[in-house]
Amino acid sequence: MEIHTPGSLKLPSSVLTIGAFDGVHRGHQALILKTKEQAEAHGVPCVVYTFDPPPKVHFKKGQWITSLDEKLNRLKALGVDHVIVGQFNEAFMNKTGSDFIEELQFIHPVEIWEGPCFQFGKGRMGTIEDLKTHFHVGVLQPLQCEQGEIISSTRIRSLLKQGNFSLAKSLLGDIRYISYLEERNFVGTAWKVN
């Protein structure tokens, strides 16, 4: 797997998914695996475009679930070919939807796969419909857990704050997280990630 900064990757074609992917939980895994499946069907690279830190962490609306290194390890395990990591800062936040779409042209996505609520660009003004004017976009419905609730990073953060590590680990979908969470002192109402 190769890691790139925004605008540095050039590909003749690809299949792409974009998101914060904090935790690379079971819902994220389903989206990334669909992207990988479509990339293999087209015989092109699978690309994930992600952000560091995740926007919710930047705006202090949530703690990290995974470090960037752990996120990259999980993406590699899922068979991703290329990862673009955008530094989520003031300059990145000021990119318009048009700027973002122009940047995506460098990797010529034959398909982009997203969840139904995907937004992008300054003020989150870009929508799936905007992407569809330039690219073929597939929409994967959110994955639900056994209790019928949508699996999300926000929900996992809430479970960790409540001390419900068992369900959080289940939603993350990887028993390697047992030691990962315990090593990072995920306890009480706050936790740290080294």
Side-chain angles (χ1 to χ4, degrees):
M1 183 178 80
E2 296 179 30
I3 302 163
H4 311 270
T5 56
S8 68
L9 178 61
K10 312 280 193 289
L11 293 170
S13 56
S14 66
V15 176
L16 169 70
T17 187
I18 307 159
F21 300 119
D22 192 16
V24 193
H25 57 61
R26 285 171 41 202
H28 295 148
Q29 291 168 31
L31 181 60
I32 292 162
L33 289 172
K34 179 64 176 178
T35 304
K36 177 72 176 171
E37 173 187 300
Q38 293 304 110
E40 288 175 351
H42 287 285
V44 300
C46 172
V47 180
V48 170
Y49 194 129
T50 192
F51 317 106
D52 182 55
K56 284 198 175 180
V57 172
H58 175 82
F59 291 115
K60 307 206 182 316
K61 293 183 178 178
Q63 296 281 344
W64 262 292
I65 297 173
T66 52
S67 66
L68 178 60
D69 285 345
E70 180 62 17
K71 181 194 300 188
L72 293 173
N73 286 337
R74 289 174 70 84
L75 293 174
K76 184 176 182 180
L78 290 167
V80 172
D81 299 304
H82 298 275
V83 179
I84 301 168
V85 180
Q87 293 302 308
F88 197 82
N89 53 28
E90 285 297 321
F92 194 86
M93 286 188 302
N94 284 321
K95 274 185 164 181
T96 65
S98 297
D99 293 338
F100 199 68
I101 286 170
E102 189 175 311
E103 181 186 327
L104 297 182
Q105 303 284 1
F106 291 126
I107 60 171
H108 300 92
V110 293
E111 292 182 22
I112 298 176
W113 282 88
E114 295 301 334
C117 300
F118 178 71
Q119 295 174 294
F120 63 98
K122 185 176 180 179
R124 298 176 52 128
M125 298 298 291
T127 65
I128 295 254
E129 295 308 312
D130 295 324
L131 277 182
K132 285 181 177 179
T133 64
H134 301 274
F135 308 104
H136 175 77
V137 180
V139 177
L140 193 68
Q141 292 306 308
L143 191 67
Q144 296 182 343
C145 69
E146 292 74 14
Q147 294 79 20
E149 293 185 55
I150 291 175
I151 299 173
S152 70
S153 298
T154 299
R155 182 158 175 241
I156 291 168
R157 285 187 191 96
S158 176
L159 290 168
L160 291 170
K161 283 182 181 179
Q162 297 165 19
N164 191 342
F165 302 129
S166 177
L167 184 52
K169 292 170 195 170
S170 168
L171 300 183
L172 286 164
D174 187 340
I175 61 169
R176 289 183 305 141
Y177 267 69
I178 293 171
S179 60
Y180 179 81
L181 294 171
E182 289 168 353
E183 285 171 14
R184 282 154 183 80
N185 302 318
F186 284 101
V187 293
T189 58
W191 60 90
K192 67 174 188 171
V193 177
N194 296 330

